[in-house]
Amino acid sequence: MGVVTSTFGGAIARRPWRTFDVQLFVYLALLIAFGIVMGYSASYNDPAPAGALSQPVKTVIWAAIGLTIFFVAASLDYHWLQPFSGPIYLAVLVLLTLTLVLGTNLFGAQMSITVAGLDFQFSEVSKVLMIVVLASFLASRRERIGRLSTIVGAGALMAMPTFLVFRQPDLGTAMVFVAILAAMLFMSGASIGWMAIFTGLVVGAAPLAVGALQDYQRQRLFCFLDPYADAQDACYQLVQSLNAVGSGGIFGQGLTAGRQNQAGLLPVQSTDFIFTVVAEELGLVGSLLLLGLFALLIWRIVFIAWTARDALGSMVAVGLAGMILFQVLVNVGMVVGIMPVTGIPLPFVTYGGSSLISLLFGMGILESVRIHGEKPTF
Amino acid sequence: MADLNEGRGRDLPRSRARFIAFGVAAALVFTALAGRLVQLQVVDGAAYARRAATIGTVELPIPAARGLVFDRDGRPLAVNVPSWTVKARRADLPGPRTRIVLGEVARITGVDARSLRTRLDAYTGSPYDLIPLARGIDRQAALVLGERAGQLPGIVVEAEPVRRYLDETGKVDGTLLSHIVGYTGPVDSTELPELAAAGYLHDDAIGRAGVEASYEEELRGSYGSRLVERDADGRTGDVLETVREPVAGANLQLTIDAEMQRTATNALRWGMDAVGVEQGVTIVMNPQTGEILAMVSLPAYDNNKFATGISGSDYQAYLTADGQPLRNHAIADIYPPGSTFKLVTSVAALEEGVTTAGQRWPTYGCYQIPGAPAGQCLFDWNRQGFGPLDMTDAFAVSSDTFYYQMAIKLGVDRLGAWAERMGFGNRSGIRLPGEAEGIVASTAWAQAQGRQGVFTGELAQAGIGQNVIAVTPLQLLNAYCALANGGTLMRPSIVRGTADAGGQLLEPAAPEVIGPIGASDSTLRTMRIGAREVITTGHAYNIRDLRLPGALSGKTGTAEFGAETPEGTLPFHSWFVAYLPSAPGATDADLAVVTFAYSAVVPGNVSLEVVKYFLQEHYDLDQDLRLDPRDFSLVAAN
């Protein structure tokens, strides 16, 4: 790794990166590589227009930007996050509000702002930033952690961003916010009793949220219960996905050789349904390999949470683990028809710069937790 | 260094139990996903693979060519021509910049941008459906739109067949036959749910009026379907196979003779122009078969305007125009028949034994209604009276006071029953939309209005086709056709049968009989002689001098209606109905004609002059005996 020179108080120069978490880095690098390969296959028959970069090349560029941010975040002592959590929270609210007001229409949802030609989805970034904000809040609660005010305070912090993304409407990200909140509260040691009560309230309010959805969202949401009932319209995507996954078999049809994928029969195959391409082209073997990588990654992040020196680092790790686990569950679950169809990306693998860069920023903080959270060795 | 480690003292305790719980939850998630993958890919893999091979397809309809419409000589009257339609696929429109795209389309096509927007917004189906925004745009605009397709995302120009309505010469002119042929129009979104069940598409056309509407099922044919590749976004691609070939709609040959229709139209228009009448009807029919040979209702409209979707202003203009051009007055409106109705009173009186053919009855200048106060009498049109008359003479001179007596002796219900046997008060059943029933007075009819019965004065007037009797011109002609053919009420027909693509008859439809009117041959023969005498000795004036190939027989009529004018008279309609047997009293007539002129308040009978003109032209006579109906000295009234 070598020594990263920094102007940050000279502290880093005195800390060799021997505690850099290689396992974490290997797992995420493999996941990114997986994503690039699958993105190549998904866009195989869909060449970029002349003069534009192809999808895998763009992913490589984004990965390079993301890895730069990763190393910068790793090199900085993550404690800088604590005093900045207020401004970060404000920035999240401003960016999400801007997205809601200015966002362009993509498949019926206002989800991105175009900056210098690059579509940027602030909702992706805001997920990682909200983990930081919540981690700061929970770390500051100390012995008061078991009180009701912890849950109310954390819920209040999360409420506004959740509402803003729900209004976009980006149901998926709103659900991820709620999942992050639940995971972090649970792992922080918040009162189980109060959490159970609030969980009951949220479940009770779910029909209201479903009622507030657009028709098309509602239809898609409930497709997984009986996809073939409406195979030609609302559940068309899901039916296509199930057929592709099923026809992948044990060993798959081969990279760039998936019939459904290459015939353009899969819905938004580079993004939400990228796992379908994995399952169709690489079969059960490839699917389990990818799930295994996620399992290892999450295991490693939980390990970091357990061993972190302080609550801030531990909470950031817990939030990221919860977020990734939830996204894998919902995204892969959707593809295989055991979860409702919502637009949640598969971390690292789904094509999209904002998701990748945000995740790498989060992973960089985890490395910083490992590097800067260790006891001094001198 | 101390500052870096500052936070560690404030550490939160970490719960081992909760970390284990998280680990278990994660393990469960991965196990569930892996298990489901095994189920999908290994256990049920083969079944999904089979589905995958077929699911990327969608069955799309193949429209059938709409049947053509010909006249009885095979002249095309309704044909399909290619036309250009601008359509939009909402999924491809550029979001907020749609307004700009629509503005550009409006500029190129000359169609109002707001109406494009309205059509786009009105459609609630799939965003991948093509929504028709403007039909019948001109070729030049279609070419420009085609060239600029790249700059107009979501806009497509498609060639679609639309209806063209032709006249007897093949010229594009719908006004000659619009009331018969009708028109098709786009299906609208409110009726689509119901029609979709019958296989109609959101951008389909459906018959809206005339034969286009009443023979919709035959003309439409049956749509086929084909299997088309469909991608994940719902866009369609290559055709894989044709599941069902479309069956083109049946071509129809009308009973109409388009040339005769033109002759009748010209004659009627001449008569209406001569006296300034706003509404008129001429119908020509074959009494032996019930076939309508010509049916003119003026003013007419141009059905070609409807074929591509009529503009709001054009439609408003038709709705508010004098004479109600959109209504087929021949079947949809009812008028008092006046003296032409004396046929019914005569047949009823003879059949019910009120009088015999030879029995003579006194006539009066003014007939005192029995039971009414003295001096309350009903005038004859001839205020001197005619002296004693038998049935034939009374019919020939059209004595009102003779028929007042007949009607009062019959009573309203016996008169009404005969009227119904002769086709009045019921729809004839001609297969055209919008036919009216008419009014035939009866005790029940009066009671339905909250009265005990019909007043004697009304009954007397019913006997001369006034006041409580109202008929469609077609009903009247059909009743005279029954007289002319020996007593059979035929169902008027408008379609002769199916035709081949050249308009030649394939399967003729059999003439339909409503039923015998139930009058004896002698009664009918007496009336045929009477109808002949109307022409020869009555006051149908010089029409007797036409050198026609037969013994023209008929009846004039003048029917007062509405409110008195300041001069103390009532406005009146004029009627003339006639048929042409080979000899007086014969039942072999194959041509009958009626003309009706609405509010033709002139001294002469304009309808008689119209029929005269029509017969001159139709039989190509080198005579022109037309008189100016405005000339009082030529009165041929009643």
Side-chain angles (χ1 to χ4, degrees):
Chain A
M1 283 292 114
V3 171
V4 175
T5 57
S6 164
T7 56
F8 211 73
I12 290 150
R14 285 196 298 277
R15 281 183 189 281
W17 283 39
R18 58 180 191 76
T19 53
F20 178 82
D21 197 312
V22 178
Q23 278 195 51
L24 181 73
F25 182 73
V26 168
Y27 300 149
L28 69 87
L30 284 173
L31 283 167
I32 294 171
F34 215 116
I36 292 171
V37 171
M38 294 324 297
Y40 166 75
S41 182
S43 63
Y44 189 71
N45 274 345
D46 203 6
L53 296 173
S54 74
Q55 184 185 313
V57 171
K58 277 195 201 165
T59 306
V60 169
I61 292 173
W62 277 324
I65 297 172
L67 285 171
T68 308
I69 292 174
F70 170 83
F71 283 114
V72 169
S75 65
L76 300 178
D77 186 325
Y78 63 98
H79 289 99
W80 71 272
L81 294 169
Q82 189 120 30
F84 274 95
S85 64
I88 288 173
Y89 185 59
L90 280 181
V92 166
L93 294 186
V94 168
L95 291 178
L96 288 179
T97 307
L98 273 182
T99 305
L100 191 57
V101 176
L102 304 177
T104 54
N105 197 313
L106 177 71
F107 295 114
Q110 300 176 324
M111 292 193 291
S112 62
I113 285 189
T114 307
V115 179
L118 179 78
D119 270 359
F120 211 76
Q121 293 177 259
F122 287 122
S123 56
E124 286 299 322
V125 187
S126 64
K127 289 191 288 197
V128 175
L129 293 181
M130 281 310 295
I131 288 171
V132 168
V133 170
L134 274 191
S136 294
F137 172 75
L138 292 172
S140 71
R141 297 289 297 173
R142 288 193 291 174
E143 56 282 341
R144 290 172 294 161
I145 194 75
R147 291 193 195 165
L148 173 61
S149 57
T150 302
I151 297 174
V152 172
L157 279 174
M158 211 50 152
M160 196 61 193
T162 307
F163 173 73
L164 287 172
V165 292
F166 184 77
R167 281 298 305 274
Q168 283 186 12
D170 182 356
L171 180 63
T173 301
M175 283 166 53
V176 173
F177 276 148
V178 175
I180 290 170
L181 177 67
M184 291 181 72
L185 278 175
F186 179 76
M187 300 297 279
S188 72
S191 158
I192 292 281
W194 281 114
M195 281 185 73
I197 289 170
F198 279 99
T199 306
L201 288 179
V202 168
V203 171
L208 292 180
V210 169
L213 295 176
Q214 310 275 341
D215 276 351
Y216 78 95
Q217 286 179 313
R218 199 163 29 235
Q219 278 173 351
R220 281 179 49 189
L221 197 58
F222 291 111
C223 271
F224 78 103
L225 296 176
D226 186 9
Y228 289 92
D230 196 6
Q232 288 295 347
D233 291 305
C235 306
Y236 184 72
Q237 297 187 330
L238 181 55
V239 165
Q240 293 295 342
S241 176
L242 287 177
N243 290 332
V245 170
S247 54
I250 297 177
F251 298 105
Q253 297 170 358
L255 198 62
T256 73
R259 280 187 298 269
Q260 304 267 102
N261 174 30
Q262 302 304 340
L265 286 171
L266 296 182
V268 282
Q269 69 265 42
S270 309
T271 53
D272 291 349
F273 283 83
I274 190 71
F275 194 85
T276 312
V277 182
V278 176
E280 184 186 29
E281 300 195 341
L282 304 182
L284 183 66
V285 172
S287 311
L288 293 184
L289 181 69
L290 182 54
L291 283 184
L293 274 175
F294 276 116
L296 287 172
L297 180 76
I298 289 168
W299 174 81
R300 194 64 197 169
I301 298 174
V302 172
F303 171 80
I304 291 171
W306 181 245
T307 56
R309 286 281 298 161
D310 63 3
L312 179 64
S314 179
M315 281 296 107
V316 169
V318 159
L320 287 166
M323 178 182 92
I324 293 170
L325 179 64
F326 183 74
Q327 292 196 195
V328 169
L329 168 67
V330 175
N331 181 283
V332 178
M334 162 186 84
V335 164
V336 298
I338 58 173
M339 280 289 189
V341 176
T342 47
I344 292 185
L346 189 60
F348 300 104
V349 182
T350 288
Y351 169 77
S354 10
S355 171
L356 186 54
I357 289 171
S358 319
L359 280 163
L360 283 170
F361 171 59
M363 296 298 113
I365 297 173
L366 291 184
E367 289 290 0
S368 171
V369 170
R370 292 290 282 160
I371 294 167
H372 302 282
E374 283 296 308
K375 279 182 179 162
T377 52
F378 47 89
Chain B
M1 290 323 319
D3 58 328
L4 272 183
N5 298 323
E6 197 180 66
R8 291 182 186 155
R10 305 188 309 202
D11 202 359
L12 285 172
R14 251 154 270 177
S15 157
R16 178 176 294 272
R18 294 198 185 187
F19 269 73
I20 290 172
F22 186 92
V24 170
L28 282 176
V29 165
F30 283 103
T31 309
L33 293 179
R36 174 68 171 170
L37 280 167
V38 169
Q39 187 206 345
L40 285 179
Q41 302 196 283
V42 182
V43 181
D44 298 334
Y48 282 107
R50 268 198 310 280
R51 281 216 191 95
T54 57
I55 198 83
T57 58
V58 63
E59 210 174 306
L60 291 182
I62 312 173
R66 195 172 175 86
L68 309 181
V69 180
F70 300 93
D71 87 340
R72 66 185 299 121
D73 292 326
R75 298 182 189 95
L77 302 178
V79 296
N80 302 318
V81 297
S83 142
W84 301 100
T85 299
V86 184
K87 300 184 172 188
R89 180 181 282 120
R90 202 183 284 133
D92 293 341
L93 287 169
R97 290 190 296 278
T98 296
R99 205 174 50 82
I100 300 166
V101 169
L102 292 183
E104 195 59 13
V105 171
R107 196 182 61 74
I108 294 168
T109 59
V111 178
D112 180 36
R114 274 194 310 272
S115 87
L116 299 176
R117 184 87 224 187
T118 307
R119 298 234 169 112
L120 181 66
D121 292 343
Y123 187 67
T124 53
S126 159
Y128 299 103
D129 284 349
L130 284 169
I131 308 162
L133 299 184
R135 292 171 200 271
I137 65 165
D138 67 47
R139 201 179 120 79
Q140 188 57 37
L143 287 176
V144 173
L145 283 172
E147 280 167 13
R148 304 205 37 202
Q151 292 128 286
L152 298 170
I155 298 296
V156 177
V157 180
E158 284 194 342
E160 291 189 328
V162 295
R163 285 301 231 197
R164 273 279 179 287
Y165 301 108
L166 312 177
D167 69 4
E168 85 284 8
T169 62
K171 202 159 64 73
V172 178
D173 177 7
T175 54
L176 181 67
L177 290 144
S178 51
H179 287 122
I180 298 161
V181 176
Y183 54 87
T184 62
V187 165
D188 77 50
S189 53
T190 55
E191 61 190 355
L192 185 59
E194 202 176 316
L195 288 173
Y200 282 82
L201 312 178
H202 74 92
D203 56 352
D204 231 329
I206 186 170
R208 290 291 185 203
V211 166
E212 291 273 32
S214 58
Y215 284 80
E216 168 71 15
E217 206 174 308
E218 289 88 341
L219 287 169
R220 178 176 165 83
S222 108
Y223 281 22
S225 70
R226 59 189 160 201
L227 216 52
V228 179
E229 270 186 356
R230 179 162 128 158
D231 73 10
D233 291 332
R235 279 169 229 271
T236 50
D238 295 339
V239 176
L240 298 178
E241 62 170 303
T242 301
V243 179
R244 200 169 61 249
E245 292 287 353
V247 181
N251 301 319
L252 299 180
Q253 192 188 85
L254 300 185
T255 58
I256 296 292
D257 176 338
E259 268 185 8
M260 195 190 290
Q261 176 87 5
R262 175 63 74 191
T263 307
T265 304
N266 288 346
L268 181 60
R269 182 158 292 135
W270 164 79
M272 286 168 64
D273 288 349
V275 298
V277 166
E278 278 169 6
Q279 281 181 34
V281 170
T282 292
I283 312 171
V284 186
M285 204 166 151
N286 181 339
Q288 306 299 325
T289 61
E291 288 176 313
I292 306 283
L293 303 174
M295 178 189 275
V296 185
S297 171
L298 291 180
Y301 64 94
D302 185 357
N303 43 2
N304 283 309
K305 283 191 177 175
F306 286 87
T308 53
I310 190 166
S311 74
S313 57
D314 281 354
Y315 191 60
Q316 270 307 315
Y318 276 143
L319 285 181
T320 55
D322 289 338
Q324 297 180 292
L326 293 179
R327 290 185 74 85
N328 182 357
H329 305 304
I331 61 167
D333 289 312
I334 55 173
Y335 311 98
S339 299
T340 57
F341 194 71
K342 288 170 183 168
L343 172 66
V344 177
T345 315
S346 303
V347 169
L350 289 171
E351 287 295 311
E352 298 291 342
V354 168
T355 182
T356 61
Q359 190 177 346
R360 297 168 78 83
W361 293 70
T363 61
Y364 308 90
C366 196
Y367 174 67
Q368 174 66 44
I369 299 170
Q376 191 168 333
C377 63
L378 287 170
F379 283 108
D380 204 299
W381 70 270
N382 171 353
R383 298 200 176 185
Q384 278 78 53
F386 297 93
L389 292 174
D390 68 9
M391 179 64 80
T392 316
D393 292 338
F395 193 68
V397 300
S398 201
S399 165
D400 291 337
T401 53
F402 180 90
Y403 283 99
Y404 296 148
Q405 299 172 68
M406 295 298 117
I408 290 167
K409 289 249 180 310
L410 275 165
V412 70
D413 290 322
R414 286 198 290 178
L415 178 63
W418 278 98
E420 290 195 10
R421 279 183 218 172
M422 296 178 78
F424 297 100
N426 288 302
R427 295 189 179 90
S428 72
I430 186 172
R431 220 172 128 185
L432 282 177
E435 193 185 8
E437 278 184 353
I439 297 168
V440 171
S442 66
T443 307
W445 170 82
Q447 283 167 350
Q449 296 181 331
R451 303 193 273 154
Q452 284 218 313
V454 173
F455 302 129
T456 310
E458 285 178 326
L459 172 57
Q461 293 212 315
I464 64 163
Q466 287 281 168
N467 201 331
V468 290
I469 301 288
V471 307
T472 67
L474 181 64
Q475 283 174 334
L476 184 70
L477 178 61
N478 206 29
Y480 275 85
C481 282
L483 173 69
N485 69 22
T488 305
L489 195 64
M490 302 301 294
R491 175 140 7 250
S493 63
I494 197 70
V495 168
R496 241 182 137 194
T498 55
D500 64 18
Q504 298 312 302
L505 201 57
L506 285 178
E507 264 185 71
E512 243 186 278
V513 172
I514 296 175
I517 60 175
S520 68
D521 286 346
S522 68
T523 294
L524 293 174
R525 187 171 166 78
T526 302
M527 294 322 299
R528 283 194 294 272
I529 298 297
R532 176 59 184 164
E533 284 190 12
V534 169
I535 305 298
T536 51
T537 65
H539 48 270
Y541 206 69
N542 68 351
I543 199 168
R544 78 186 76 148
D545 299 328
L546 285 179
R547 290 186 290 272
L548 290 167
L552 189 72
S553 312
K555 186 75 190 80
T556 55
T558 303
E560 291 176 334
F561 71 101
E564 275 190 18
T565 60
E567 292 83 46
T569 59
L570 288 167
F572 52 86
H573 309 311
S574 97
W575 293 90
F576 184 64
V577 56
Y579 57 94
L580 190 66
S582 58
T587 58
D588 60 356
D590 60 6
L591 184 135
V593 55
V594 66
T595 288
F596 163 79
Y598 185 90
S599 192
V601 186
V602 289
N605 183 324
V606 63
S607 295
L608 174 69
E609 298 305 322
V610 167
V611 170
K612 193 193 295 173
Y613 187 23
F614 166 74
L615 292 172
Q616 284 172 191
E617 294 296 313
H618 177 63
Y619 288 103
D620 211 8
L621 307 179
D622 53 1
Q623 291 174 291
D624 186 359
L625 303 183
R626 279 179 293 165
L627 303 169
D628 187 337
R630 286 168 302 181
D631 190 342
F632 187 76
S633 65
L634 300 175
V635 63
N638 220 2

